[in-house]
Amino acid sequence: MPSSTIECVQLNTGAQMPLFGLGTWLAEKGKVGEAVQEALRIGYPHIDCAHIYGNEGEIGEAMAKIFTSGVAKRADTFITSKLWPTDFAPADVETACRLTLANLQLSYLDLYLLHWPVRCKKGAPMPGQMADEDILGYSAEMFAETWQEMEKLQEQGLVKAIGVSNFTVPQLETLMETAKVVPAVNQVESHPHFQQNEMKDFCESKGIVFEAYSPIGAGGRPPRARQADSAVLLEDETIIALGEKYGCSPAQVALAWAYQKKIVAIPKTITFSRLKENLDSLSIKLDDDDIKKIDGIDKNKRLLIGGWAIKKGQTASDFWNGIGC
């Protein structure tokens, strides 16, 4: 499917955000660049990045080659990155953004997100290696300060839109009490087993785009993020049966469902055949009754708890306001 035919959703800035893109979390160094180039060659209009993924330099080199060759155009490609919590102090925000721009070899980002609703100490180690004292946690005051700096990035033209990731409804409500700019996007875990309908409805009511990471169920998440009782989306009987009905894979069923519901989805893969398979899912038209069947398999169970960000004495339910835990 050519990128020009992929549907978009309008951000509160007026810009168009493609409903489908490539995620790059855990994308292997030495391979992610080739995957990004292939994605852009076959028509992906949207690449999702983050500083903490540690691969923005390789992605930047790959995109520069594709844009220089004319195979894809920068103006036609929607590029997101995210500010990591160790850079949430007001003095660090612009410096971190400019580093991401340099690594990605870009003059601007289409979207820049606060990656998590916690602030961490400057220089703290990677998730899973942090000590409790490295996690400063969440407060309305801290995030109001950080958001003001994000707004300045947008004013300067370094980023076209600003948003958040992993925020709860109360956190969004609190942020908007002081924000001059309403977040354009909230990027959260969402898939047929964890649909987050309350969050989706809230975002839509406020003009915030609801974006899904792990839209096919986070099967590639690291061992530290796995829970023994987690169901496997791609082994769900309903998803498998619909794959057989439409002659496609279970992953394609999940992606077709998201696309038809106009949910922005960013599945990740570095395998060329899966890049094409995921893109081809956008041509699959599920019947209304089958959409409803998938709507009915929601387990309200998140797969990615974000345990690294939860301080001692706090539970996952506390962190996520009771949703999906």
Side-chain angles (χ1 to χ4, degrees):
M1 176 178 284
S3 61
S4 60
T5 63
I6 293 174
E7 291 186 37
C8 294
V9 62
Q10 183 169 296
L11 299 180
N12 58 17
T13 61
Q16 298 293 309
M17 181 180 189
L19 284 171
F20 181 79
L22 175 66
T24 58
W25 179 47
L26 299 179
E28 187 178 341
K29 287 184 179 181
K31 295 182 179 180
V32 64
E34 293 179 354
V36 167
Q37 287 190 60
E38 178 66 9
L40 292 171
R41 270 194 291 265
I42 65 175
Y44 277 64
H46 176 178
I47 306 295
D48 182 86
C49 311
H51 174 73
I52 194 62
Y53 300 165
N55 53 20
E56 287 192 329
E58 185 176 342
I59 291 170
E61 291 179 7
M63 292 194 299
K65 289 177 183 177
I66 288 291
F67 296 150
T68 300
S69 72
V71 171
K73 296 179 180 179
R74 169 65 185 99
D76 297 333
T77 307
F78 191 98
I79 302 171
T80 299
S81 188
K82 309 177 193 76
L83 181 70
W84 187 245
T86 54
D87 292 313
F88 281 5
D92 297 326
V93 173
E94 183 177 335
T95 300
C97 179
R98 289 187 180 277
L99 176 59
T100 274
L101 288 171
N103 287 338
L104 292 174
Q105 300 187 35
L106 300 174
S107 60
Y108 69 91
L109 292 166
D110 295 278
L111 177 64
Y112 199 38
L113 306 177
L114 297 181
H115 205 152
W116 281 84
V118 292
R119 187 188 288 184
C120 299
K121 284 185 180 178
K122 184 70 175 175
M126 295 286 285
Q129 300 172 10
M130 290 186 190
D132 192 62
E133 56 266 24
D134 289 324
I135 303 165
L136 302 178
Y138 167 87
S139 79
E141 294 76 15
M142 282 196 296
F143 276 83
E145 290 178 348
T146 304
W147 191 251
Q148 287 177 356
E149 299 306 312
M150 294 284 280
E151 292 173 334
K152 291 176 185 177
L153 298 179
Q154 187 171 358
E155 290 170 2
Q156 293 178 68
L158 296 175
V159 304
K160 301 295 186 183
I162 53 177
V164 298
S165 182
N166 297 305
F167 271 50
T168 63
V169 167
Q171 287 167 342
L172 282 170
E173 290 176 325
T174 300
L175 182 64
M176 288 189 291
E177 288 176 1
T178 57
K180 291 189 295 184
V181 177
V182 173
V185 171
N186 188 19
Q187 186 187 110
V188 297
E189 179 189 344
S190 181
H191 44 77
H193 276 177
F194 185 49
Q195 296 177 25
Q196 294 235 57
N197 290 314
E198 179 185 348
M199 173 62 75
K200 184 172 182 289
D201 291 345
F202 175 82
C203 287
E204 289 176 353
S205 75
K206 301 298 181 182
I208 301 169
V209 168
F210 176 90
E211 180 179 11
Y213 67 72
S214 299
I216 57 176
R221 65 193 185 280
R224 62 179 170 80
R226 294 180 181 272
Q227 303 162 73
D229 61 344
S230 294
V232 179
L233 174 64
L234 301 186
E235 295 176 2
D236 186 283
E237 292 180 358
T238 298
I239 298 293
I240 290 173
L242 290 175
E244 292 172 352
K245 174 179 176 178
Y246 290 94
C248 64
S249 71
Q252 286 179 307
V253 172
L255 292 173
W257 172 81
Y259 189 63
Q260 285 182 236
K261 291 176 75 74
K262 299 191 183 305
I263 296 170
V264 179
I266 46 169
K268 63 182 183 64
T269 184
I270 56 172
T271 304
F272 284 17
S273 61
R274 288 180 185 160
L275 285 169
K276 184 177 186 304
E277 178 183 299
N278 290 347
L279 185 63
D280 288 346
S281 69
L282 308 188
S283 299
I284 298 166
K285 302 302 180 187
L286 304 175
D287 295 341
D288 289 346
D289 287 346
D290 292 332
I291 293 285
K292 291 177 182 176
K293 286 179 183 176
I294 299 173
D295 291 346
I297 65 171
D298 189 2
K299 298 180 181 298
N300 192 31
K301 176 75 172 178
R302 67 177 70 244
L303 299 174
L304 296 161
I305 296 294
W308 69 270
I310 300 173
K311 290 185 67 64
K312 289 179 181 177
Q314 186 181 34
T315 66
S317 184
D318 294 334
F319 187 86
W320 294 111
N321 196 43
I323 305 299
C325 302

